[in-house]
Amino acid sequence: QVQLVESGGGLVQAGGSLRLSCAASGRTFSNYHMGWFRQAPGKEREFVAAINWSGGKTYYADSVKGRFTISRDNAKNTVYLQMNSLKPEDTAVYYCAADYATDLLTSDYDAYDYWGQGTQVTVSS
C-alpha cells in the first residue's frame, strides 16, 4: 500500500500562484510514476501532469502547459505541483496518484494504483 497526503490548496486570486505537495509513505517512492489530476464540480476527473520515477520525464495536459510544473524529491518522498498564472477554470479538487513504474508515463486515470484524498484549489476572478 502507498498512502498519499496532499497539502497546499487554498483560495487565490486569478493570476496568482500555489504550490501543492503530496507526501507518500508505505512503499518505495522511487518505484512509482506520480501524477496530478483534478475534478471540478459536475465534471469528470481530468489529468493535469505526471512525472516518471526518476524525475527525468514529465507530461502535461495542454490546458496547464507553460503554467504548471511538476517535480519530485525522492529523498523526501514528495511530489509537487507548482501552479502559476492561475485561472478561475483551474478551480477544482486536486488529487495526487501513484502508478507502479512498469510502463511508460501515462495520463490514463485507470493506470494509477493509489490516490490521495484531494486538496481544494479555488481561483477567484
Side-chain angles (χ1 to χ4, degrees):
Q1 287 283 352
V2 175
Q3 292 78 43
L4 302 172
V5 179
E6 302 96 335
S7 61
L11 173 64
V12 64
Q13 288 189 332
S17 298
L18 281 175
R19 188 195 197 201
L20 305 184
S21 299
C22 173
S25 61
R27 293 278 178 93
T28 304
F29 182 64
S30 59
N31 284 347
Y32 292 84
H33 301 323
M34 298 298 296
W36 286 97
F37 291 76
R38 66 187 181 187
Q39 188 166 18
K43 295 187 177 182
E44 293 187 353
R45 195 169 297 191
E46 65 172 357
F47 170 75
V48 175
I51 188 166
N52 78 330
W53 66 273
S54 68
K57 294 183 180 180
T58 57
Y59 180 26
Y60 295 93
D62 287 343
S63 59
V64 307
K65 202 172 293 183
R67 300 188 298 123
F68 291 10
T69 302
I70 189 171
S71 61
R72 67 190 294 163
D73 185 337
N74 286 347
K76 295 183 178 180
N77 292 349
T78 302
V79 61
Y80 305 97
L81 186 68
Q82 177 67 44
M83 305 186 295
N84 298 330
S85 302
L86 282 161
K87 304 175 181 180
E89 51 263 44
D90 295 317
T91 295
V93 177
Y94 282 71
Y95 299 88
C96 71
D99 170 25
Y100 190 72
T102 57
D103 295 310
L104 297 176
L105 201 56
T106 181
S107 61
D108 183 358
Y109 170 93
D110 290 330
Y112 289 80
D113 306 299
Y114 301 101
W115 293 83
Q117 82 290 347
T119 186
Q120 177 70 47
V121 171
T122 303
V123 184
S124 63
S125 56

